[in-house]
Amino acid sequence: MSHASAGYQAPSVSVAASLPKRADDATVLIVPIVNGTDDDATAAVVASSFLDAKAVTEIEGALKALGAKGGTEQVTRVVAPLLPVGSVLAVGLGKDRETWTPEVIRRAAGVAARSLNGTEAVVTTLSGLDLEAAVEGLILGSYRFTDFRSDKTAPKDAGLRAITALTADTKPKTKDAASRAADIATAVATARDFVNTPPSHLFPDEFAKRAEALGKAFGLDVEVLDDKALAKNGYGGIIGVGKGSSRPPRLVRLAHRGAKRKGKKVALVGKGITFDTGGISIKPAANMHHMTSDMGGAAAVIATVVVAAKQKLPLDVIATVPMAENMPSSTAQRPGDVLTQYGGITVEVLNTDAEGRLILADAIVRACEDKPDYLIETSTLTGAQTVALGARTPGVMGSDEFRDRVAALSQEVGENAWPMPLPEELKDDLKSTVADLANVSGSRYAGMLVAGTYLREFVAEGVAWAHIDIAGPAYNTGGPWGYTGKGGTGVPTRTMFAVLEDIAAHG
Ligand code: BES
Ligand code: MN
Ligand code: ZN
């Protein structure tokens, strides 16, 4: 087993204006294809200017012989003896050119990458349509997690190691775009690795150590508070949730200080429950193992601050990441216990399974001490998110304008978060008979919004904030689709990075 590996290593990406001339049977050429225009017409190769016209005719002839129609995300493998590659993998984009958004290209690239079966080098013309979407899709689609496989089941090949993206120009700007796309995909893969690492091996102290090592490797300022420091400084939420576990909680802070004069400051907060049993309010056994994903918010936030540093964004980005394991034991908090959140608000813990908001409230108050302009917090917070929006649509709540901006950017990058309200009257549902607040409401209504309403109480006045609930979207329990395999998805890393870039550009 290689689980002490140096972290995710992306395939190398290079750009070229034409197909390399040297014959290479190990390379696969990935080409987009489109439906023919009349009824019995077969698929046509798109972005064919990179290829010799005779070779294009050859590919289209082979596709016709196989009856390939070029429907969206259909893949067809053919041989093309005229080209210096082992085979050609054609991926369909459907009929309608108007629908070829970056996400369509990204998904097509992802589907192609998932069907490579051990190929280690590809050349693609998908990049002729959208370079960055093609590179992101190929890297994300080729992602796999093998840290815990022994020789008995480990793959025999190294997976995708080299991508050559064909583009009309190979100027430095184009190369920068390719490496930006690779950095973003690497961040997503890093978040996926954290989520996919099982709770046996990723517990608060280990998670903190890995975050610290990663942060230091990319020049971030790192601070780790252990359980003693947390207790001493009044982090009652993190201590309360963590005290049922023999593996004590942590609070990790990672800072990228890139702001020039007038540069903005953005706080990121992510839920880092390394495993959520529910605590004394224990969860049913069925599917409890999915709670290995309950640190998906933390994973995405850590990956995002790292890629912000890698891409040298002219912003201060400070991640505040609470980490705890929610376990039942004789030292665990009880339903009915009262704790004091960092900053002084008291909370009656009516349900120990509503633990995310308890650790997040402490972290949000701490993050606001830095006086950020913006705060993005993300968490696998409520099963109600999945009930309301399903497995692939994060819910965004927060201050109206910033919430809508985050949702719009999330749509652009294909993570598809959707804005949700925080109706005023829900606050009354969080009244406690003994403390300032209760951690749950007495009803089953609007569980996602009630959790957002709880968090709102801890955001400092004047900070534009967004809360992204990723309970379903952080972890794919269904089959693979597009560039998303089973397990950790890395959502909402690309949304947060897009927001950071947008703030860097427009304030
Ligand atoms: N981690 C869970 C939320 C969750 C559920 C994430 C399903 C991913 C998939 C969270 O800590 C939780 O248990 N929330 C409770 C809140 C309730 C007690 C108010 C829930 O959703 O049931
Ligand atoms: Mn819970
Ligand atoms: Zn949880």
Side-chain angles (χ1 to χ4, degrees), residues 1 80 128 146 235 303 336 499:
M1 278 186 276
T146 58
Y235 289 88
V499 174

Side-chain angles (χ1 to χ4, degrees), residues 317-388:
V317 182
I318 310 175
T320 302
V321 191
M323 300 170 174
E325 185 176 52
N326 191 21
M327 296 289 277
S329 75
S330 70
T331 61
Q333 64 177 346
R334 293 152 290 261
D337 279 2
V338 171
L339 58 75
T340 304
Q341 301 265 205
Y342 185 65
I345 293 177
T346 61
V347 181
E348 184 185 12
V349 181
L350 290 176
N351 188 324
T352 65
D353 198 12
E355 85 296 342
R357 61 198 76 182
L358 299 175
I359 67 165
L360 290 167
D362 283 2
I364 287 170
V365 174
R366 175 64 189 90
C368 286
E369 288 179 349
D370 299 327
K371 304 223 175 310
D373 300 289
Y374 299 94
L375 185 150
I376 310 174
E377 171 278 318
T378 186
S379 41
T380 47
L381 201 59
T382 66
Q385 177 278 323
T386 323
V387 174

Side-chain angles (χ1 to χ4, degrees), residues 271 273 276 291 294 353 355-356 380:
K271 174 178 173 182
I273 294 292
D276 182 12
M291 287 303 116
D294 214 17
D353 198 12
E355 85 296 342
T380 47

Side-chain angles (χ1 to χ4, degrees), residues 60-78:
E60 287 174 350
L63 290 171
K64 191 177 173 101
L66 292 169
K69 296 278 188 234
T72 312
E73 296 183 12
Q74 269 176 16
V75 295
T76 311
R77 190 78 84 95
V78 301

Side-chain angles (χ1 to χ4, degrees), residues 391-402:
R392 298 183 188 176
T393 305
V396 199
M397 290 137 276
S399 17
D400 292 353
E401 241 176 85
F402 190 51

